[in-house]
Amino acid sequence: MANNDDNNNNKMSREERGRKGGETTSRKHDREFYQEIRRKGGKATAQKHDKEFYQEIGRKGGESTSKKHDKEFYQEIGRKGGEATAENHDKDFYQEIGRKGGETTSEKHDKEFYQEIGRKGGEATRDKHGDGFYEEIGEKGGESRNRRND
């Protein structure tokens, strides 16, 4: 009976029991254990849910994150992600994803789309470098062409 009284008087909350259980588990297992259960859990979840499920949780997560962070946050994680990707992939990887992206874009857009992005790019370049920039690169291009023809 003394044990019951002790247990009732010193009753742990669910959170406390979970924390203690988690600490015990983390001492007993290594990184590979957690990688394996994460892989198994991801596989089981993927079998239970469709594309729309993942789109919805992605949308909700994006909304929640966007409320908590500013433009600089996204720039920083984009920079870090780009650096990590660059460390893990070579020139062929980027050529392949560029080719696939170009094919997908060309399937989804018409001639007018490309004319519009070309116009916007030209305006942005002019705004950044000034009108003389085009004269300068035109002259350089002409000089290069003349040297090849000589």
Side-chain angles (χ1 to χ4, degrees), residues 97-111:
I97 63 172
R99 183 190 61 74
K100 288 179 179 179
E103 287 176 1
T104 301
T105 302
S106 70
E107 291 168 3
K108 293 182 177 182
H109 298 287
D110 59 7
K111 180 180 176 181

Side-chain angles (χ1 to χ4, degrees), residues 45-61:
T45 302
Q47 290 171 347
K48 292 179 184 175
H49 299 287
D50 61 5
K51 179 181 176 182
E52 287 75 24
F53 168 80
Y54 290 102
Q55 288 173 332
E56 180 63 13
I57 62 172
R59 185 190 61 73
K60 287 179 179 178

